[in-house]
Amino acid sequence: MERELALEFVRVTEAAALAAAPWMGKGDKIAADQAAVDAMRAVFDTVNIKGTVVIGEGEKDEAPMLYIGEEIGCSDSPELDIAVDPVEGTNLVAKGSPNSLSVVAAAKKGCLLKTPVWYMKKIAVGPEANGAIDIEATPTENLKSVAKAKGKNISDITVILLERPRHDEMIKEIRNAGARIKLISDGDVAGGIATALSHTGVDMLMGIGGAPEGVLTAAALKCLGGEIQGKLHIRNEEEAQRAREMGVDDLDQIFTTDDLAKGRDVMFSVTGITNGELLKGVQYHGDDQVETHSIVMRSKTGTVRHIKAHHKISQKPSYFKDEINTF
């Protein structure tokens, strides 16, 4: 059942990527996201699960589909928590920039953290440095620890983080310590996963990014043997109160990989929309052939599958809107 579901989740992320790809570079991130949401939701209707969206497009009054709390799937079992990001990096698609992804994570009911606020301070590494990070330590201390764990000099360590003014001091300290930096405009799920894949050349992720993205990253790293630590980044009293109402008594709590994605049975699927170091994006071949590249993984077995799929699109699936005539 779990093997079958893992492949079903690939169908879900493939559909979202295929629907978003025609909007690449057209400057309309809302249209790209909506197309992906429609496609993802339609395919979820065919998957034999009783899923509840715990990370999604927002609250019910903000999103008509894939909203937090929505039930998806076409069966009474298994009961699963579902975390989705139909387009991780909507700005990246709109600009035609690299590393936009479609992402789904799943775990048994109650195993994926329902994030009470939008932002989280994070640090993440791959399996070689699992156990070598401490979110309470300084960037320099973490660099030294990760370099030692990986048998590298600090000058050989590459840190990925979002290019934001809030990271200016962190960037300065990382550079002063001698490490290399890769700045990204969006897409810190891709950055987190990259730490666990040797071909990306990324060793660590640091900084403040999305809290929902932290849960998705945790699900992926749980499957890949990496580690993430996070602390909620609370900006005001309203967010503090929301966190308390959702059961977070200690606002300074450090969330580990297992806090964000609990249990042994975590599944993660990701399909590339635009080309990037992690995955190739959607590729068009002639008038009726499209190629997608995906990764699907399971924490229970540690299996990581790379899937290249060819789709014949002369007959568009029902989840493609009529107005999307690129095909």
Side-chain angles (χ1 to χ4, degrees), residues 55 83-89 92 99-105 122 124 160-162 184 186-197 200 202 205 209-221 224 228 268-271 278 297:
I55 300 289
V84 303
D85 198 343
V87 179
E88 208 263 326
L92 301 177
N99 290 318
S100 179
L101 308 170
S102 177
V103 182
V104 167
K122 293 174 277 191
I160 194 167
L161 69 166
L162 290 167
I184 55 175
D186 297 278
D188 61 344
V189 173
I193 299 172
T195 66
L197 300 175
T200 65
V202 174
L205 174 139
E213 287 82 357
V215 176
L216 287 162
T217 302
L221 293 179
L224 292 166
I228 184 172
F268 185 88
S269 176
V270 54
T271 300
L278 190 64
M297 34 193 152

Side-chain angles (χ1 to χ4, degrees), residues 93-141:
V93 174
K95 296 176 181 179
S97 299
N99 290 318
S100 179
L101 308 170
S102 177
V103 182
V104 167
K108 289 184 177 180
K109 186 176 181 180
C111 287
L112 296 181
L113 181 72
K114 299 176 182 178
T115 57
V117 298
W118 287 112
Y119 291 95
M120 178 180 284
K121 180 182 178 183
K122 293 174 277 191
I123 182 169
V125 290
E128 290 177 296
N130 191 328
I133 54 174
D134 180 359
I135 199 168
E136 299 281 60
T138 67
T140 302
E141 290 168 337

